[in-house]
Amino acid sequence: MVTMLEVRDVSTIACCAPLIREPLTQSNAEQLAQTLKALADPARLRLLSIVAASPDQEACVCDLIEPMGLSQPTVSHHLKVLTAAGFLARSKRGAWAYYRLVPAALDRVTQTLISA
Amino acid sequence: MVTMLEVRDVSTIACCAPLIREPLTQSNAEQLAQTLKALADPARLRLLSIVAASPDQEACVCDLIEPMGLSQPTVSHHLKVLTAAGFLARSKRGAWAYYRLVPAALDRVTQTLISA
């Protein structure tokens, strides 16, 4: 079976040393703000947590619509934003798209926000 | 000297178990999204990092305007958002307002986003 995997290079996400250590540059602040904006939405946070709690931290889009209680296009839009930000990797298998958590993307955010 | 300290109860911030452990409820997702929105702005991230990198993790608003290159009302607006979200505590001393980092607020966010 051919799998097309769409995954963003997480090294470009949330770039920087912990923000409590040294003032962020404007460029790093813009990059981190963009990454946080992808997370700062209730539907996207719920989607991310549902995918993360699934076996192998992966879920078919077909299994995400009912628990979200949203239309398929809306769910797909939020999944696209999370994939573009690097938090999910998308693969196509047959008719369906599957989304897998990219833990390293969350790690880069938490490393930047860590307080100690 | 009388100090008025304005600080939010951080226990109400970013409420929950790590989102990778179990699906977030709608209510918890809304709360976390609101907290992340307060962070997801380049100016607010830079302000937070400048305050955090200051001695005692505290800075006078009078010392934040020049490094930000923004007007005083704009800087004050962003500081108000960060204070309302619990990331900064505000105290008034004489004519000036001082802002201090609340590390526990960042900790609660990172504990929720942690990937392992």
Side-chain angles (χ1 to χ4, degrees), chain A residues 16-30:
Chain A
C16 355
L19 63 76
I20 67 142
R21 297 281 163 73
E22 56 185 68
L24 286 171
T25 63
Q26 180 65 25
S27 156
N28 285 350
E30 283 168 8

Side-chain angles (χ1 to χ4, degrees), chain A residues 52-76:
Chain A
S54 301
D56 295 327
Q57 301 192 316
E58 187 180 62
C60 173
V61 66
C62 55
D63 292 325
L64 294 169
I65 295 158
E66 187 273 330
M68 289 298 296
L70 297 171
S71 70
Q72 196 252 311
T74 302
V75 170
S76 290

Side-chain angles (χ1 to χ4, degrees), chain A residues 19-26 28-30 32-34 36-37 39-43 45-46 48-50 52-53 57 101 103-104 106-107 109-111 113-116, chain B residues 19-26 28-30 32-34 36-37 39-43 45-46 48-50 52-53 57 101 103-104 106-107 109-111 113-116:
Chain A
L19 63 76
I20 67 142
R21 297 281 163 73
E22 56 185 68
L24 286 171
T25 63
Q26 180 65 25
N28 285 350
E30 283 168 8
L32 180 55
Q34 196 177 13
L36 289 170
K37 271 180 193 150
L39 282 182
D41 176 277
L45 286 168
R46 286 193 64 218
L48 200 63
S49 71
I50 293 171
Q57 301 192 316
L101 184 73
L106 281 177
D107 290 342
V109 172
T110 57
Q111 282 159 16
L113 296 182
I114 204 159
S115 80
Chain B
L19 63 77
I20 66 142
R21 298 279 163 77
E22 54 185 67
L24 286 171
T25 63
Q26 180 65 26
N28 285 350
E30 283 170 7
L32 179 56
Q34 195 178 13
L36 289 170
K37 272 181 192 150
L39 281 182
D41 176 278
L45 286 167
R46 286 191 64 218
L48 199 64
S49 71
I50 293 170
Q57 300 191 317
L101 184 72
L106 281 177
D107 290 342
V109 172
T110 58
Q111 281 159 16
L113 296 181
I114 205 159
S115 80

Side-chain angles (χ1 to χ4, degrees), chain B residues 4 37 57 63 65 82 86 91 100:
Chain B
M4 292 185 344
K37 272 181 192 150
Q57 300 191 317
D63 292 325
I65 295 158
L82 287 168
S91 58
R100 181 188 288 262

Side-chain angles (χ1 to χ4, degrees), chain B residues 35-69:
Chain B
T35 300
L36 289 170
K37 272 181 192 150
L39 281 182
D41 176 278
R44 291 200 283 275
L45 286 167
R46 286 191 64 218
L47 271 173
L48 199 64
S49 71
I50 293 170
V51 171
S54 300
D56 296 326
Q57 300 191 317
E58 186 180 63
C60 173
V61 65
C62 55
D63 292 325
L64 293 169
I65 295 158
E66 188 273 329
M68 290 298 296

Side-chain angles (χ1 to χ4, degrees), chain B residues 76-100:
Chain B
S76 290
H77 162 74
H78 287 308
L79 289 168
K80 194 172 175 181
V81 173
L82 287 168
T83 304
F87 294 108
L88 295 177
R90 177 182 187 273
S91 58
K92 194 96 191 286
R93 292 182 218 144
W96 294 108
Y98 288 74
Y99 291 86
R100 181 188 288 262

Side-chain angles (χ1 to χ4, degrees), chain A residues 5-24:
Chain A
L5 185 67
E6 182 187 316
V7 56
R8 186 176 149 180
D9 175 9
V10 295
S11 68
T12 63
I13 298 167
C15 46
C16 355
L19 63 76
I20 67 142
R21 297 281 163 73
E22 56 185 68
L24 286 171

